Amino acid sequence: MTSAATTPVATASGPLVVRTTAVDLGDPGSTRLLDLLPADAPVSWLRNGEGLVGWGVAAQVRTSGTARFRDADKWWAETTARAEVTDEVVEPGTGLVAFGSFGFADDPGDSVLVVPCVVLGRRGDRAWVTTVGESALHEAPGLEHTDVPRAPVGLSFGDGALNGEAWMSVVADAVARINAGDLEKVVLARDLVATCDEPVDVRWPLHRLATDYAMCWTFHVDGLFGATPEMLVRRERGLVTSRVLAGTIRRTGDDERDLALAATLARSSKDLEEHEYAVRSVADALEPHCSSMNVPEAPFVLHLPNVMHLATDVAGVVHDAATVSSLQLAESLHPSAAVGGTPTPEAVALIGEVEGMDRDRYAGPVGWIDAAGDGEWGIALRSALVRDSTVRLFAGCGVVGSSDPEAELAESQAKFVPVRDALSGEI
């Protein structure tokens, strides 16, 4: 059963006053954006040292239910229409920007879109700072290295909703249903719970993830953080792109062995089948909004520090950039077969029936949008939800008719590694 739409809860009643100015941050290797991020409601979206960080809350809206995307997009359109913006840089991500994170399921679907008081960005050799308030233009803050975040204290890990044995039983049940013809694929997730003696400073794992997984998008919005390798959708000046990942194999650390495993992954009928479902669902969702679609015939192998994925980049040109925002595109794509299954309605229903936990905002869209509607929305994978001294880690696996429960459990354990190491490692 899905929940009905609820009334959005928003802050900031007056028009926002916004100013973006260029700043000199020097070489990306000498001044990292995360080094300038204070502990005041931090947000981040970073890849290879570029992207956006922000802090403070100038305005936000919380939405839920089936209309969570539409309510947030409507609020954003109204907010941008009233804003007074001075933008001296004019790049995607300058001017008025909001960071968002959306619930995976319709029920309860709790989601958030937040406008920071300060946004700091870097793109190539350009860097900028944006200030946001409700009165007059604010002077740009002094940009200095902030306090070094403290490592989690007394960190320990325990089972989440299901232990490994129970979760493998769920996978086996799903495989039986697939082979009975109920559906073609389902993505099943599990959680792991970390507890600490003190509240966790989310900037600690963000530093580690941004360093160890530089090719992924390191994000944090309202307690949800991670390093996702999967771009749900990017819209930039009319061009729309989406990176699809489905089909995974764990790396060994031996380069020669890993090359052989990559070749095995590229020929695996099980993984190619899973990947084809995911690519098809993305292409079908984007087609009504785009022309000149480009869908490669075969995937490539994306190498990450802990795993390798089959990957495909789908691209197109949006029909009407003035009316279809990046957030609307994200809504049309969610949930894709990569995080739900095929057919999607049947797969999502099965997830709700057998998975045994609330995904919250795990595997939902996370990213940012600017006043022009451009933005980047990833899928909140390799992620965790921090609340005071508790952290819920999430990992999911695509299950098809030939899936082996023990292999899927091993894959899920590999996908926990980035956040586990980020919490327990050193900066």
Side-chain angles (χ1 to χ4, degrees):
M1 179 180 295
T2 58
S3 64
T6 58
T7 303
V9 179
T11 62
S13 56
L16 297 175
V17 181
V18 184
R19 181 180 182 181
T20 297
T21 56
V23 293
D24 182 7
L25 295 181
D27 182 87
S30 62
T31 304
R32 301 193 309 169
L33 293 179
L34 282 176
D35 294 333
L36 305 172
L37 184 63
D40 176 21
V43 292
S44 70
W45 181 263
L46 298 169
R47 183 173 184 262
N48 274 338
E50 297 186 6
L52 304 167
V53 298
W55 58 93
V57 178
Q60 71 174 2
V61 64
R62 294 189 179 275
T63 62
S64 59
T66 56
R68 61 194 182 282
F69 293 98
R70 294 187 296 277
D71 287 341
D73 194 64
K74 180 175 182 290
W75 176 84
W76 182 239
E78 294 169 349
T79 300
T80 57
R82 295 189 300 160
E84 302 172 20
V85 180
T86 303
D87 185 352
E88 301 173 8
V89 179
V90 193
E91 288 273 7
T94 64
L96 189 57
V97 173
F99 293 74
S101 174
F102 289 81
F104 174 82
D106 290 342
D107 188 6
D110 293 335
S111 306
V112 63
L113 202 60
V114 57
V115 179
C117 295
V118 181
V119 176
L120 188 60
R122 184 196 290 274
R123 183 184 179 98
D125 59 359
R126 306 193 75 184
W128 62 87
V129 61
T130 300
T131 56
V132 184
E134 286 194 66
S135 53
L137 286 176
H138 298 264
E139 291 297 322
L143 300 177
E144 301 177 353
H145 283 217
T146 59
D147 58 303
V148 177
R150 187 181 181 191
V153 177
L155 179 68
S156 63
F157 293 93
D159 288 328
L162 300 176
N163 62 28
E165 288 294 330
W167 191 74
M168 283 193 293
S169 295
V170 170
V171 173
D173 179 28
V175 169
R177 298 195 191 199
I178 291 169
N179 288 325
D182 294 353
L183 68 167
E184 297 171 335
K185 171 192 170 182
V186 63
V187 179
L188 294 176
R190 54 188 290 247
D191 61 345
L192 187 68
V193 177
T195 56
C196 305
D197 293 340
E198 298 176 357
V200 175
D201 186 338
V202 73
R203 296 176 302 161
W204 175 273
L206 289 179
H207 275 270
R208 180 68 181 270
L209 289 169
T211 299
D212 292 350
Y213 297 88
M215 292 299 292
C216 295
W217 288 270
T218 298
F219 62 87
H220 173 249
V221 180
D222 194 44
L224 186 75
F225 73 93
T228 181
E230 192 150 358
M231 175 63 70
L232 180 64
V233 65
R234 173 192 290 115
R235 201 203 82 169
E236 182 173 324
R237 299 187 174 105
L239 178 64
V240 175
T241 55
S242 178
R243 169 162 289 183
V244 182
L245 304 183
T248 305
I249 196 166
R250 190 167 188 168
R251 298 191 68 165
T252 65
D254 180 300
D255 290 344
E256 186 173 336
R257 173 64 176 152
D258 285 343
L259 284 174
L261 288 174
T264 299
L265 179 64
R267 296 191 302 267
S268 166
S269 58
K270 178 264 184 187
D271 291 292
L272 288 169
E273 177 187 16
E274 179 186 342
H275 191 80
E276 182 184 354
Y277 292 147
V279 172
R280 188 174 68 203
S281 75
V282 167
D284 289 347
L286 284 179
E287 189 172 20
H289 305 289
C290 296
S291 58
S292 305
M293 291 281 293
N294 178 35
V295 183
E297 292 184 2
F300 63 93
V301 177
L302 176 67
H303 295 251
L304 297 176
N306 61 320
V307 294
M308 293 176 284
H309 297 289
L310 292 179
T312 295
D313 290 331
V314 178
V317 178
V318 71
H319 288 312
D320 189 351
T323 60
V324 181
S325 71
S326 61
L327 182 52
Q328 290 172 302
L329 291 171
E331 178 185 14
S332 70
L333 285 165
H334 177 76
S336 72
V339 294
T342 306
T344 300
E346 287 80 357
V348 171
L350 182 59
I351 289 169
E353 178 186 344
V354 305
E355 198 168 68
M357 70 173 192
D358 177 8
R359 289 192 177 188
D360 207 295
R361 288 175 283 143
Y362 163 73
V366 60
W368 61 271
I369 184 171
D370 66 16
D374 283 340
E376 295 179 309
W377 295 94
I379 301 176
L381 305 175
R382 314 298 194 275
S383 62
L385 188 62
V386 58
R387 288 288 182 258
D388 297 323
S389 58
T390 300
V391 185
R392 279 184 75 203
L393 291 73
F394 301 94
C397 302
V399 177
V400 294
S402 58
S403 292
D404 172 66
E406 288 189 5
E408 300 299 338
L409 180 65
E411 181 179 324
S412 73
Q413 290 168 337
K415 290 176 176 177
F416 280 132
V417 167
V419 176
R420 283 195 68 148
D421 286 354
L423 288 169
S424 56
E426 295 181 0
I427 295 177

